[in-house]
């Protein structure tokens, strides 16, 4: 749903919008961002830096693998993909897929580690595109290369995005034999007219078929993706999609709000906020509806766009929210290594040249550990406030200075009063407005009794753009 970050683009973006280090945040968009957003894009590399921060030297234990193949491009999508054609899922030996996987494995093998110690990968996420179009034997090849290059933990979370109509029970079972243990199913909507309006390659019947396949294979850990604020989408349609999702009982649900961008079919046809797209008020209503319905269905809203049953948080995406380093491989994929965020080319020809230069050691894929402390602090704030846990002020103060904690809390005082921002003590008990005001007035270490700060659900999350922009100004006056 970037930071990318540039957070997902044309498509599904959140209220939270772009995670770049610029204080010029875009105005409130809508609600949520792709689960593997971090691996889709990344902002330009940070400039001059002087202060090293502890997290910069942590070796990555997560890898995002971009498999860009789709049957066709959806009307809202501007991710780097390769359209194979509507019957491509029947082809088990497409040379375009085979050649790409070979190139991808060359990139992985050519990547040099700059860390003194390395740990095996704890998470691998195959995103796309539609990774379920890739034959399991080629997924196996990629996993073997990752295992050989970095090591792969025995209990690693290995996720793959799958679209209805692109897999059967045999393919699902083959993937599970490769230790793929988590699926993200791209349903998007349960209404035939909405799926057609989006240019999706599947229909509602294939959605139900895909759900049955996953259940018949007894895969326990699976997620369902939904999109709100689609053209002509009514509240009753959204309510129905939420109800049917809950009835299907996935262990995880991702809810994205459509963000129309240029260079997509939707970008040509529609303007945000104008019919047939919902208004900002309607989009906010969809978000509140999802938060309420999924909570009543037994799902915890643990991140702006993510809900889960107890114990089924996406471990891979948690790497992003914790601002930990990660590898990214493939067309357009992004990495965060040694304090440096960078992305691969989005065009196949340029990506091929990139891999060739990497093999010739002409590409520096690691940072020099010189990171501007305020830039890093902003990233930590932005990512932490995406989650229900929020920002740990004590840890943040130790890493970046108590004065930044004080500035942030002072800036958020009006929103604490309005209930959009919640402050917690060490026992995660909410502090009253009077308690918070009293602590901040002391201007000494007493204000560190404010142990955590988080956004309220759903209203605080809905204002996340404005609150992140305010954090920028507070941290970099």
């Amino acid at each position: 749903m970037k930071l990318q970050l540039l957070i997902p683009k044309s498509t599904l973006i959140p209220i939270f919008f772009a995670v770049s280090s610029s204080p010029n945040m875009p105005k409130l968009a809508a609600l949520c961002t792709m689960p593997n957003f971090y691996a889709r894009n990344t902002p330009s590399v940070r400039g001059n830096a002087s202060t090293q921060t502890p997290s910069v030297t942590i070796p990555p234990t997560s890898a995002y693998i971009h498999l860009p193949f789709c049957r066709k491009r959806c009307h809202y999508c501007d991710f780097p993909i390769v359209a194979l054609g509507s019957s491509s899922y029947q082809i088990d030996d497409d040379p375009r897929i085979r050649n790409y996987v070979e190139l991808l494995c060359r990139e992985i093998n050519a990547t040099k580690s700059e860390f003194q110690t390395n740990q095996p990968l704890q998470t691998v996420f195959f995103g796309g595109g539609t990774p379920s179009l890739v034959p399991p034997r080629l997924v196996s090849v990629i996993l073997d290369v990752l295992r050989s290059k970095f090591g792969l933990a025995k209990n690693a979370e290995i996720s793959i995005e799958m679209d209805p109509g692109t897999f059967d029970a045999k393919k699902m079972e083959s993937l599970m034999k490769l230790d793929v243990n988590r699926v993200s199913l791209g349903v998007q909507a349960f209404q035939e007219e909405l799926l057609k309006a989006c240019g999706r390659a599947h229909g509602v019947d294939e959605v139900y078929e895909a759900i049955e396949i996953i259940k018949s294979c007894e895969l326990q850990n699976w997620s369902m993706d939904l999109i709100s604020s689609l053209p002509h989408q009514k509240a009753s349609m959204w309510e129905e999609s939420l109800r049917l999702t809950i009835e299907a009982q996935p262990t995880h649900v991702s809810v994205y709000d459509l963000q129309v961008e240029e260079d997509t079919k939707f970008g040509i046809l529609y303007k945000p906020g104008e019919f047939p797209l919902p208004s900002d008020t309607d989009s906010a209503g969809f978000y509140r509806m999802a938060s309420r319905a999924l909570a009543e269905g037994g799902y915890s809203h643990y991140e702006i766009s993510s809900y889960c049953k107890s114990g089924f948080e996406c471990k891979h995406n948690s790497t992003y929210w914790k601002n930990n380093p990660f590898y990214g491989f493939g067309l357009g994929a992004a990495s965060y290594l040694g304090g440096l965020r960078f992305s691969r080319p989005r065009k196949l020809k340029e990506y091929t040249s990139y891999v060739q230069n990497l093999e010739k050691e002409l590409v520096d894929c690691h940072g020099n550990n010189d990171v501007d402390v305020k830039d890093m602090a902003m990233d930590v704030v932005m990512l932490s406030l995406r989650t229900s846990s929020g920002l740990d002020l004590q840890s943040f103060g130790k890493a970046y200075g108590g004065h930044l904690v004080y500035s942030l809390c002072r800036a958020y005082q009006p929103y604490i009063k309005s209930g959009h921002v919640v402050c917690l003590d060490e026992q995660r008990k909410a502090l009253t407005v009077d308690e918070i005001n009293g602590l901040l007035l002391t201007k000494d270490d007493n204000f560190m009794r404010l142990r955590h700060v988080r956004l309220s659900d759903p209203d605080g999350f809905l204002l996340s753009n404005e609150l992140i922009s305010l954090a920028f100004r507070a941290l970099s006056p």
Side-chain angles (χ1 to χ4, degrees), residues 437-448:
N437 290 342
L439 290 171
L440 292 176
L441 282 174
T442 63
K443 296 187 178 180
D444 58 26
D445 288 342
N446 284 333
F447 77 85
M448 288 305 290

Side-chain angles (χ1 to χ4, degrees), residues 345-412:
R346 292 170 53 88
K347 301 291 186 181
L348 194 55
K349 181 178 180 180
E350 287 79 4
Y351 171 62
T352 301
S353 297
Y354 165 83
V355 174
Q356 293 171 343
N357 288 331
L358 186 66
E359 291 174 322
K360 297 174 183 177
E361 300 185 3
L362 299 177
V363 177
D364 180 11
C365 293
H366 295 82
N368 57 9
N369 293 341
D370 289 331
V371 182
D372 186 282
V373 66
K374 288 188 177 179
D375 283 346
M376 182 65 77
M378 289 176 185
D379 282 355
V380 171
V381 170
M382 287 186 292
L383 291 170
S384 297
L385 292 182
R386 290 187 62 90
T387 69
S388 60
S389 297
L391 176 66
D392 185 327
L393 294 174
Q394 190 172 91
S395 297
F396 183 79
K398 288 179 179 178
Y400 305 106
H403 65 289
L404 291 183
V405 174
Y406 184 80
S407 296
L408 184 65
C409 290
R410 290 283 292 180
Y412 279 163

Side-chain angles (χ1 to χ4, degrees), residues 52 56-60 112-119 327 366 369:
Q52 184 171 330
V56 169
T57 56
I58 298 175
K112 296 185 180 301
S113 175
E114 302 296 326
F115 301 96
Q116 293 181 350
T117 59
N118 288 283
Q119 299 178 15
Y327 294 108
H366 295 82
N369 293 341

Side-chain angles (χ1 to χ4, degrees), residues 2-5 36-43 62-66 107 316 320 325-337 340-345:
K2 197 199 66 335
L3 67 220
Q4 243 165 302
L5 120 252
N36 54 342
F37 85 84
Y38 218 142
R40 308 259 190 189
N41 303 306
T42 186
S62 294
Y64 171 81
I65 310 297
H66 191 68
E107 182 196 357
H316 182 84
Y320 306 147
F326 57 89
Y327 294 108
F329 299 108
L331 193 69
S335 292
Y336 176 35
L337 302 171
L340 175 71
R341 304 187 192 280
F342 63 97
S343 56
R344 282 93 183 137

